[in-house]
Amino acid sequence: MQIVIIAAYLLFVCVFGVYIMRKLVKDSDDFMVAGRSLSKAVLAGTLLATFVGSGTIVGGASFVFQYGPFAGIFFFLGTPIGVLILYFWLADKVRVAARYTVPEILEIRYGKAARAVAALIILFAFIGITSYQFIGGGKVLHITTGIPEWQATLIAAAIIIFLATIGGLVSVAYTDFISAIFILVSLIAAVPLILSQTGGLDGMIAALPEAKQTITGGLTVPQMLGYFLPLFLLLLGDQNVYQRFSAAENPRTARTAAIGFFVGSVLTIGIILVLAASAAVLLPEIDPATAVLSLANQKLPVLLGGMLLAAAVAIIITTGNSYLLSASANLMYDLYGSLLGRTVAPERRLMFDRLAVVGLGVLAYALGTFFPTILALQMYSYTMYGAAITPALLAALVWRKATPAGGLAAILTGGVATLVWELALGKPLGWNSVLFALPCSVAVLVIVSLATATRENEERATRAIAGAR
């Protein structure tokens, strides 16, 4: 029954994606930013479905399983805080700017070199995020079908690449909207049945090991910050989120959708905290990465368990095809178009966009073989983006004293520092690389900008910031 439900969902989204593609995708603008026509409800749904992916249902659940629900609150807290900042500060600015990619926004303040470097870093980060969606999807299919995990991962990758290729953002957005509803209904329905097996919320918490009942879960403060900051920084500067705001009907729609995103993210995160912590009580010997998936497979009625597993697939697919699509925009618009100075005829641009999606999907599948766990790949990808891109991006939008030299130096420093900490130094003290890369990036941004500030640059920055309002 579970296999049937999952297969039915996959068939539905594929058929629906093809229908939307045939009906609405006419050119590259439709493919990349949905013709800038998304309504409030569809935009809120696609924001939620995109950001709550394998990093939540697998990576985040793994964290909660290992360290407890209270530590998990701190882990996930970056999402609602980031959404509030987007609502009060950034959503309307991004819609008015109306760009395809974040490097385009950076170019306005920092020049072409910053755009090229940022595009390369975002490609590295987003290929990593796409990669762990493939792995997460493979885990679901492996649990439900028993086929070898590598084959299941390959199938998940093929489905994600297919959906991203056929319809672009306009297709992804509408399938996301439906998936978001399905996800929330399935998760909400599962909670009372699981808590009835743990003696309620209080019984579940009391049955946890003592360390998992603490606010830190046995982690040090630097370790906790190392898990909190990557997700928070990614959300604040996430090109995927910015592209969706750019696809809104107007700036007011973008801000209203941020409210729906906030409510949906808080509800989803709260349920994942409960389910993953319950798995630690009911199924303490399982692989932490399968916490929610194993609950669905072993502790729920077949129909609801199948729905929850299909919801997990929905979460993973919607996030995977979104990040894959977003990375293809960097490849085509920032690198092939801007850096190399190549132009594509309008009638051929859509074909090139689709070829880029397929090529990047293959790279994402290959990258997944180099990281031992989804949580490790998640932290690397988030930090690569959050430390290198977010400080320079926020400064470009709100800080008049940021200079081209400062922005470019910050982007380079954040990216290099992440690689040095992860690869060359092997994560000293067990700290995630964000604790090293972020301070380096921010310090370089401030120091170099102040050292190279001119009155002409500040006047140009004032005009650029005003244009984003």
Side-chain angles (χ1 to χ4, degrees):
M1 175 63 78
Q2 292 176 340
I3 297 174
V4 172
I5 294 172
I6 293 173
Y9 167 76
L10 292 176
L11 178 62
F12 167 76
V13 294
C14 288
V15 171
F16 186 70
V18 171
Y19 168 77
I20 292 295
M21 178 269 292
R22 293 170 64 91
K23 188 176 180 64
L24 297 178
V25 180
K26 307 301 182 185
D27 54 29
S28 186
D29 201 48
D30 292 331
F31 191 83
M32 287 297 177
V33 289
R36 307 193 194 279
S37 62
L38 296 186
S39 65
K40 298 171 186 176
V42 173
L43 182 57
T46 190
L47 283 166
L48 177 63
T50 295
F51 205 74
V52 180
S54 183
T56 300
I57 202 77
V58 179
S62 174
F63 182 91
V64 175
F65 186 96
Q66 295 176 74
Y67 303 111
F70 300 109
I73 292 173
F74 194 75
F75 175 88
F76 283 121
L77 195 59
T79 297
I81 293 176
V83 175
L84 288 176
I85 293 174
L86 286 171
Y87 173 76
F88 286 108
W89 199 13
L90 298 174
D92 52 349
K93 293 183 177 66
V94 174
R95 176 58 184 87
V96 171
R99 305 292 173 174
Y100 282 114
T101 68
V102 160
E104 282 186 282
I105 298 174
L106 294 173
E107 182 183 16
I108 296 172
R109 290 291 307 276
Y110 306 135
K112 284 188 175 294
R115 178 177 182 176
V117 173
L120 286 170
I121 290 173
I122 292 173
L123 270 179
F124 277 115
F126 280 11
I127 288 173
I129 293 173
T130 302
S131 179
Y132 67 72
Q133 309 309 317
F134 294 171
I135 299 170
K139 286 185 180 296
V140 178
L141 296 178
H142 169 68
I143 287 173
T144 54
T145 65
I147 63 176
E149 197 161 329
W150 73 268
Q151 292 181 8
T153 301
L154 190 59
I155 292 170
I159 293 171
I160 289 171
I161 293 170
F162 171 75
L163 287 172
T165 302
I166 58 169
L169 184 58
V170 66
S171 177
V172 167
Y174 282 93
T175 54
D176 279 359
F177 173 66
I178 294 172
S179 294
I181 296 172
F182 185 64
I183 290 162
L184 288 174
V185 170
S186 302
L187 289 173
I188 291 170
V191 169
L193 292 176
I194 291 299
L195 287 180
S196 69
Q197 301 175 50
T198 64
L201 190 61
D202 291 340
M204 179 268 288
I205 294 173
L208 290 169
E210 186 175 345
K212 294 182 182 180
Q213 297 182 35
T214 65
I215 192 66
T216 64
L219 296 171
T220 64
V221 172
Q223 287 174 325
M224 290 290 290
L225 284 173
Y227 281 112
F228 165 81
L229 286 172
L231 184 60
F232 174 64
L233 292 170
L234 174 67
L235 181 59
L236 280 185
D238 188 359
Q239 176 175 274
N240 230 316
V241 173
Y242 281 39
Q243 282 177 320
R244 276 154 174 75
F245 284 136
S246 291
E249 292 174 329
N250 51 59
R252 185 175 182 179
T253 295
R255 292 194 71 202
T256 303
I259 299 174
F261 183 18
F262 174 81
V263 174
S265 65
V266 169
L267 183 58
T268 303
I269 288 168
I271 293 172
I272 295 298
L273 289 170
V274 171
L275 294 180
S278 297
V281 173
L282 299 173
L283 302 168
E285 303 301 322
I286 62 171
D287 175 3
T290 67
V292 173
L293 308 179
S294 294
L295 273 184
N297 194 45
Q298 300 180 39
K299 296 295 181 179
L300 288 174
V302 173
L303 179 59
L304 183 55
M307 288 181 60
L308 186 55
L309 287 169
V313 173
I315 289 172
I316 291 164
I317 287 177
T318 54
T319 300
N321 54 34
S322 295
Y323 278 95
L324 186 55
L325 179 66
S326 190
S328 73
N330 295 121
L331 182 62
M332 290 304 302
Y333 289 90
D334 298 317
L335 298 178
Y336 187 80
S338 179
L339 180 62
L340 299 181
R342 305 293 294 272
T343 59
V344 180
E347 64 272 14
R348 302 181 63 194
R349 188 173 299 161
L350 187 56
M351 180 188 70
F352 273 69
D353 289 337
R354 287 172 167 152
L355 290 174
V357 169
V358 174
L360 293 173
V362 172
L363 287 177
Y365 178 79
L367 181 65
T369 62
F370 290 97
F371 285 84
T373 67
I374 286 181
L375 191 59
L377 182 53
Q378 181 182 1
M379 291 300 102
Y380 154 77
S381 301
Y382 288 3
T383 299
M384 175 61 74
Y385 193 104
I389 303 299
T390 300
L393 176 60
L394 294 180
L397 291 172
V398 301
W399 191 38
R400 290 174 173 79
K401 293 186 179 298
T403 66
L408 178 59
I411 294 168
L412 285 169
T413 300
V416 171
T418 300
L419 293 176
V420 168
W421 193 264
E422 290 275 347
L423 303 179
L425 300 180
K427 298 177 70 171
L429 305 175
W431 291 3
N432 283 327
S433 50
V434 68
L435 296 177
F436 174 68
L438 178 63
C440 290
S441 178
V442 173
V444 167
L445 172 67
V446 173
I447 292 170
V448 175
S449 290
L450 294 179
T452 58
T454 64
R455 184 176 183 84
E456 179 185 358
N457 178 76
E458 190 165 343
E459 290 173 351
R460 185 168 60 249
T462 300
R463 291 192 297 271
I465 292 172
R469 288 179 177 169

